[in-house]
Amino acid sequence: MAPPAPRTGEPDAELADLDEADHALIAGLGEDARATYPQLAATTGLTNSTAKRRVDRLVAEGVVLICTEFPPRRLGYRLMSYLWLRVDPARLEEVGTALATHTPISFAAAVTGPHNMVATAITRNTGDLYRYLAEHLGSLPGVQYVETAPALRQIKRLTR
């Protein structure tokens, strides 16, 4: 029987009920996300099968997310821009869902304040950013206003 399909982490999800072994597995994966089950077992004191079963459960419950990161600049995506949007409140969910499907968007969230949505776009250059804003973002129903700020230099990224 195949393990259940992994769920994405939800910000409003219930607090996970984790024990010491779960925390040790998460710490082991934090050190090396590609650690094998025998390596995780060795660092946690669990058996291989227990380590595998627990990791599968943590993934299935959305406690551990498996994802791939890549350095965009190495693939030719040299411009990261922050987008602050003002969206009709009745269309916030619709616009957010649409943004989630747009290839240049690496992050999107509903927020409070003078803008009610924020996003990050990663494009190859300013021409690609312009085309994205004019042809895709600007045509979304409910988008009233977009303020764009290219990142000049990235100083820190969440990582170890």
Side-chain angles (χ1 to χ4, degrees):
M1 180 172 161
R7 298 185 322 210
T8 59
E10 298 173 16
D12 296 331
E14 280 186 35
L15 186 62
D17 184 23
L18 305 177
D19 62 18
E20 194 173 314
D22 292 327
H23 286 286
L25 284 168
I26 292 168
L29 289 167
E31 290 294 321
D32 181 2
R34 296 178 359 149
T36 64
Y37 295 119
Q39 289 169 327
L40 290 170
T43 61
T44 61
L46 300 171
T47 65
N48 291 357
S49 62
T50 300
K52 180 185 182 330
R53 189 178 73 252
R54 282 178 171 257
V55 169
D56 286 348
R57 179 182 56 82
L58 292 169
V59 170
E61 292 178 359
V63 174
V64 170
L65 303 176
I66 307 297
C67 61
T68 301
E69 272 197 59
F70 64 92
R73 294 183 69 77
R74 297 284 309 268
L75 299 176
Y77 293 89
R78 303 215 176 273
L79 183 63
M80 180 171 65
S81 301
Y82 298 98
L83 312 175
W84 290 274
L85 294 82
R86 192 171 302 131
V87 177
D88 292 332
R91 291 226 147 121
L92 203 54
E93 184 74 24
E94 178 184 342
V95 171
T97 300
L99 286 178
T101 67
H102 292 182
T103 303
I105 300 299
S106 63
F107 171 84
V111 296
T112 61
H115 303 90
N116 54 2
M117 185 159 288
V118 64
T120 304
I122 300 175
T123 57
R124 292 185 184 279
N125 51 45
T126 56
D128 283 354
L129 175 63
Y130 174 82
R131 279 186 292 285
Y132 171 69
L133 294 172
E135 297 170 11
H136 299 282
L137 190 60
S139 66
L140 286 177
V143 174
Q144 300 170 356
Y145 172 83
V146 180
E147 187 173 326
T148 307
L152 302 177
R153 179 172 174 242
Q154 186 172 340
I155 298 165
K156 181 178 179 180
R157 184 177 177 114
L158 179 62
T159 187
R160 285 188 166 257

